[in-house]
Amino acid sequence: MKQFDRRIAVVTGAGSGIGRELAIACAERGMKLVLADVDPEGLSTTNSLMPSGIDVRTQHCDVSSFEDVRSLADLAFEEFGHVHLLFNNAGVATLGPVWSATPEDWKWVLSVNLLGVVHGIQCFVPRMIAGGDEGHIVNTSSAAGLTAVAGSGVYCASKHAVVALSECLLKDLELFGSKLKVNVLCPSLVKTAIADSDRHRPPHLAPTNPESAPFDRRVRAGMDASNVSAADVARITMQAIWDDDFYILPHPAVRLRVEERLRDIISDHQRHKPDNLVTTMDRP
Ligand SMILES: NC(=O)c1ccc[n+]([C@@H]2O[C@H](COP(=O)([O-])OP(=O)(O)OC[C@H]3O[C@@H](n4cnc5c(N)ncnc54)[C@H](O)[C@@H]3O)[C@@H](O)[C@H]2O)c1
């Protein structure tokens, strides 16, 4: 897509981290914005960071709720008439060995990370297609959606599903001759508030997994060591939309891990390698 100015972007999870930086990057390029989050304070901070003169709407939206996402789409199309960039970005994380994940961990992570993207596609894409304009659906997955990471089975499962869903969406759009494109954003560790995801966890899905703490320490250390910021991720994402690059891998090292995994798959072999999350760290 070669024009951002005066076009319309919707960002979920815009109240913090990567979503906030995507919102700023869109605003800096002259886009009109609809920003959504479950966190009203985060959303209002993001709004306060918008350059002056930018047309912005904010809405409380829990992406795990189809009704919330449908009402977000209603707001965007009623206020601005069209959507050119849809960032299905909201996401949460849990940690711990796969066998320790609770039914509540599974329900919460899949309802936000996977169903949140599904709801975005269901509620926006038919109206974006009907509008007939060019546009992009940008789904935030993760390096964990392309590789396997110890202690992140639930999160990896949700993010692998987002990659598969994005690949299928692209094929469906091509089959139907749509002008819409898809990007799937796959960052590795970036310092944001995701390690504190539980802050927005619904009480009926409260965390009870005692085996998450050691992994939590590793992730926080990995984030502190990361040399890629959320603003870098947003800038690289906007460039990828411009260039129409489907896979967005802001951390170059992730390419090697993907290559290793694909080599393993075609050689029918899972090699014994050190865990690839933070290879220099001790086991928990
Ligand atoms: N930070 C990383 O290292 C990293 C790496 C790869 C992928 N990601 C992905 O990037 C995306 C953004 O995460 P982040 O790192 O900026 O974390 P973050 O916690 O800083 O931001 C996530 C935002 O999503 C919002 N949110 C949470 N649940 C929601 C819900 N049900 N509905 C709507 N909004 C909700 C939060 O309030 C928050 O504002 C996520 O999809 C995450 O999985 C992050």
Side-chain angles (χ1 to χ4, degrees):
M1 192 164 109
K2 303 296 185 199
Q3 185 201 329
F4 294 125
D5 188 33
R6 284 168 282 116
R7 288 188 151 177
I8 295 102
V10 176
V11 186
T12 67
S16 176
I18 293 171
R20 173 174 291 161
E21 294 299 335
L22 287 169
I24 292 170
C26 288
E28 285 172 349
R29 288 158 180 77
M31 299 192 80
K32 301 175 189 186
L33 287 164
V34 178
L35 307 179
D37 206 290
V38 284
D39 175 3
E41 282 173 24
L43 212 44
S44 109
T45 303
T46 302
N47 199 4
S48 72
L49 295 170
M50 293 295 115
S52 64
I54 294 296
D55 215 348
V56 186
R57 304 288 182 279
T58 58
Q59 178 146 313
H60 181 278
C61 170
D62 177 349
V63 296
S64 69
S65 154
F66 177 82
E67 289 72 25
D68 274 18
V69 180
R70 185 171 53 193
S71 102
L72 181 69
D74 289 346
L75 171 78
F77 283 92
E78 279 160 21
E79 291 286 314
F80 293 124
H82 195 65
V83 171
H84 297 93
L85 293 186
L86 170 64
F87 293 95
N88 288 313
N89 167 76
V92 294
T94 57
L95 293 164
V98 175
W99 57 85
S100 73
T102 66
E104 289 75 22
D105 288 339
W106 281 104
K107 270 189 204 135
W108 180 52
V109 172
L110 290 182
S111 71
V112 178
N113 292 7
L114 176 55
L115 288 183
V117 177
V118 171
H119 295 154
I121 293 168
Q122 289 173 320
C123 297
F124 282 88
V125 172
R127 294 162 89 168
M128 290 169 77
I129 292 173
D133 246 354
E134 63 174 350
H136 282 239
I137 299 100
V138 186
N139 296 328
T140 305
S141 176
S142 169
L146 298 169
T147 60
V149 184
S152 291
V154 180
Y155 184 73
C156 279
S158 73
K159 293 298 187 177
H160 274 256
V162 171
V163 171
L165 191 62
S166 305
E167 290 172 346
C168 291
L169 176 63
L170 177 69
K171 289 188 188 299
D172 287 346
L173 289 167
E174 283 171 356
L175 184 68
F176 282 80
S178 169
K179 284 189 203 165
L180 298 181
K181 309 280 181 162
V182 184
N183 309 81
V184 62
L185 171 58
C186 302
S188 185
L189 290 175
V190 178
K191 195 164 169 57
T192 66
I194 197 154
D196 297 310
S197 289
D198 283 348
R199 69 196 187 281
H200 300 309
R201 196 159 161 163
H204 69 286
L205 300 175
T208 54
N209 180 354
E211 296 191 49
S212 65
F215 293 97
D216 184 63
R217 284 195 288 278
R218 299 173 86 202
V219 167
R220 287 177 194 274
M223 279 185 178
D224 287 340
S226 173
N227 57 4
V228 177
S229 70
D232 293 332
V233 171
R235 179 180 40 77
I236 291 165
T237 302
M238 297 310 286
Q239 187 62 46
I241 295 168
W242 185 272
D243 294 337
D244 190 20
D245 292 334
F246 177 81
Y247 298 101
I248 311 175
L249 278 60
H251 299 68
V254 171
R255 290 170 203 284
L256 299 175
R257 284 155 47 185
V258 171
E259 199 180 351
E260 268 177 8
R261 176 170 183 259
L262 293 178
R263 229 182 288 124
D264 284 355
I265 290 171
I266 58 177
S267 65
D268 302 328
H269 190 64
Q270 172 69 277
R271 267 172 260 278
H272 295 286
K273 294 185 284 280
D275 171 39
N276 57 18
L277 172 62
V278 187
T279 45
T280 52
M281 297 194 65
D282 293 334
R283 283 174 193 283

